[in-house]
Amino acid sequence: PPLSSSLKHHHAAHVQPPRNVRIENNCRGRQIVVGGSLSLKCTADLDPGVPVEYIWTLNGVRLHSIEQLSSPHLLINGFALRHEGTYACLVQNAAGRARSV
């Protein structure tokens, strides 16, 4: 079944919502050059064993490609100008959701 339906099967009373959502990257303060690669990882404080869904956005628009669907990792090879902007990660489980800061 889809992850979103499995999220509903856990009892929210015993599950904490995601906390401290943040994005780690391979940039380390430098700019990504056109043709280079961008690697992002979404991390959060989560209850172990509880199904979680990850949603990536670029400039507020949800990213939909298969490799970015509900994964804590986002990799863009062949970085182009269309990839410029602000990335965010939304993490959700049965108890709630939190966005990266």
Side-chain angles (χ1 to χ4, degrees):
L3 182 60
S4 57
S5 65
S6 65
L7 291 176
K8 297 173 186 169
H9 294 293
H10 283 266
H11 298 285
H14 302 292
V15 176
Q16 293 292 318
R19 300 162 306 282
N20 301 317
V21 179
R22 56 213 170 273
I23 296 176
E24 300 171 359
N25 65 64
N26 67 336
C27 303
R28 294 183 191 83
R30 63 180 172 80
Q31 291 190 358
I32 301 294
V33 297
V34 171
S37 66
L38 172 66
S39 175
L40 302 177
K41 179 181 179 186
C42 184
T43 62
D45 296 338
L46 302 166
D47 288 345
V50 175
V52 173
E53 185 174 17
Y54 295 89
I55 299 169
W56 287 97
T57 63
L58 171 57
N59 297 324
V61 178
R62 186 175 180 162
L63 299 175
H64 289 285
S65 74
I66 296 301
E67 63 273 5
Q68 297 154 353
L69 189 60
S70 197
S71 170
H73 300 278
L74 176 65
L75 176 63
I76 297 174
N77 289 312
F79 192 85
L81 293 178
R82 71 178 184 276
H83 298 122
E84 268 190 325
T86 302
Y87 288 84
C89 177
L90 176 72
V91 182
Q92 63 184 19
N93 64 17
R97 59 174 52 185
R99 183 176 299 279
S100 58
V101 292

